[in-house]
Amino acid sequence: MTEPQPPAPDSPKPTSGRETASEDVQNVDLDDDIATAAAPDAAPESPGTDDAGDTDDAGDALDTDESDLEGPRRRARRERAERREAQARARAIEEARREAKRRVSSQQDEAPKQLGRRTVRGLRLLVWLIVLSVVGVGLGLILYFTPVMSARSLVITGIGAVTREEVVDAAKVRTGTPLLQINTDAVADRVAGIRRVASARVQREYPSTLRITIVERVPIVVKDYPDGPHLFDKDGVDFATAPPPPGLPYIDVDNPGPNDEPTRAALEVMTALSPDVVGQVSRVAAPSVASVTLTLTDGRTVVWGTTDRTQEKAEKLAALLTQPGRTYDVSSPDLPTVK
């Protein structure tokens, strides 16, 4: 087939854009037709081609025909669409990358911010602690060295036989002394040094009071001495030389005192008796720890024995004294006897 020759170019003349596009389309179509027409001559069928090869050639030819039939305008639109899709994918990838970068940077920024807040809170707390410490130290110095809170009154409770003057003299606290400068333990020890005082407690009561609470010793037994009767409390302490209260029993031991074993045995018996029985005892004798004897006001005698099972013996004696007799033996509480 003879290829048609393209017409000779004419002299240029002004044309519109639409006409130019039409001419381009015609020229492309003409070139496609020429290529299509020349294709059979360029690739003749070989005699050894089988059915499968024919089928592949037919598919290639069909694809070629479809691509040829697409036309330049449709191809241009398709290419533009593909470019737009590629650009859209590129923009999406870029946005995703930027978003990931923003997240990482925001997390990195948030951590220093949190650290900064904690640091600020810690600094505030430290400042407040310093301020409070300074205020506390200043207030303590003011209270310690100035008479703002000083002992202007002295309150004493628990006194009976002990006089207020004795307590004040023993305490040795000057009026106007700042309360923080008063050693309460030392004051309590000085007050407890009074013979009739068993214990003492000293307290500061702000703004200007010092309270002293004492517990006096209570006489349990009495013993005659050349200088007069001596009173002994439940611990065996000789705390006063004075006339005994009415009905106070006498103790008959060689060397009464808090460290004397017979004295402690006799006082243990006296503190275990009920008040009714104690009121009937006129004398308690303890030649030894194992031979405690009670003498009642009416002349009856109680053989106590040792201090074993003291509470049980006291209960049996209270029951036995309701029976007539002269001697009550509770040395064996399992078998008490009355004679």
Side-chain angles (χ1 to χ4, degrees):
M1 176 182 292
T2 304
E3 296 181 358
Q5 298 295 325
D10 297 333
S11 60
K13 57 181 178 179
T15 59
S16 63
R18 183 176 300 177
E19 292 175 354
T20 304
S22 300
E23 290 177 358
D24 294 338
V25 172
Q26 291 175 1
N27 292 332
V28 172
D29 291 341
L30 182 58
D31 293 337
D32 292 340
D33 293 338
I34 294 172
T36 303
D41 295 336
E45 183 181 357
S46 62
T49 304
D50 56 5
D51 295 339
D54 295 340
T55 303
D56 293 337
D57 293 340
D60 295 339
L62 182 60
D63 294 338
T64 303
D65 294 340
E66 289 178 355
S67 61
D68 292 340
L69 294 175
E70 184 178 13
R73 185 176 296 178
R74 185 177 296 175
R75 186 183 300 112
R77 285 199 299 269
R78 178 174 57 78
E79 291 176 354
R80 284 196 300 270
E82 291 176 354
R83 285 195 299 271
R84 284 194 294 269
E85 291 178 359
Q87 292 174 357
R89 286 195 299 270
R91 283 194 297 270
I93 293 172
E94 182 65 20
E95 289 295 332
R97 186 183 65 80
R98 292 179 180 177
E99 181 65 23
K101 187 176 180 180
R102 281 196 298 268
R103 290 179 181 177
V104 172
S105 61
S106 63
Q107 291 177 357
Q108 293 177 353
D109 294 340
E110 186 176 358
K113 289 180 180 178
Q114 292 178 354
L115 181 60
R117 295 193 192 99
R118 294 176 183 175
T119 304
V120 170
R121 291 176 183 174
L123 291 175
R124 288 178 180 175
L125 179 59
L126 180 61
V127 170
W128 276 110
L129 290 176
I130 294 174
V131 171
L132 292 177
S133 300
V134 172
V135 172
V137 171
L139 183 60
L141 293 175
I142 292 173
L143 296 178
Y144 189 85
F145 291 104
T146 65
V148 175
M149 292 186 179
S150 58
R152 289 188 285 271
S153 62
L154 188 63
V155 177
I156 302 173
T157 59
I159 56 177
V162 180
T163 63
R164 177 182 174 86
E165 288 72 17
E166 289 180 292
V167 176
V168 172
D169 292 342
K172 298 179 181 180
V173 176
R174 293 183 302 172
T175 303
T177 303
L179 291 176
L180 290 178
Q181 293 186 16
I182 298 175
N183 189 336
T184 56
D185 293 336
V187 175
D189 291 339
R190 290 196 295 266
V191 173
I194 302 174
R195 288 182 64 190
R196 284 184 174 269
V197 175
S199 63
R201 182 183 180 187
V202 181
Q203 297 172 288
R204 303 183 187 94
E205 293 184 354
Y206 296 99
S208 59
T209 302
L210 188 68
R211 178 179 292 275
I212 301 176
T213 304
I214 67 172
V215 177
E216 293 185 353
R217 298 184 184 276
V218 178
I220 299 296
V221 293
V222 61
K223 183 175 176 63
D224 286 330
Y225 283 90
D227 59 346
H230 287 211
L231 306 180
F232 294 85
D233 66 356
K234 62 183 181 61
D235 297 322
V237 176
D238 180 2
F239 65 88
T241 302
L248 190 68
Y250 282 79
I251 185 170
D252 188 6
V253 294
D254 294 335
N255 297 303
N259 297 322
D260 183 60
E261 293 293 337
T263 300
R264 288 205 296 264
L267 294 175
E268 183 179 351
V269 172
M270 293 299 298
T271 54
L273 297 175
S274 64
D276 294 339
V277 177
V278 171
Q280 301 179 48
V281 178
S282 63
R283 184 177 294 274
V284 54
S288 66
V289 177
S291 59
V292 179
T293 303
L294 304 177
T295 302
L296 304 183
T297 55
D298 57 3
R300 291 181 294 177
T301 303
V302 177
V303 178
W304 192 275
T306 65
T307 55
D308 296 337
R309 303 168 67 180
T310 299
Q311 192 62 41
E312 188 176 353
K313 291 179 180 180
E315 295 174 358
K316 295 293 180 63
L317 178 61
L320 287 178
L321 290 178
T322 60
Q323 301 178 15
R326 298 301 299 174
T327 303
Y328 299 85
D329 191 346
V330 292
S331 58
S332 178
D334 295 331
L335 188 60
T337 60
V338 179
K339 297 179 182 180

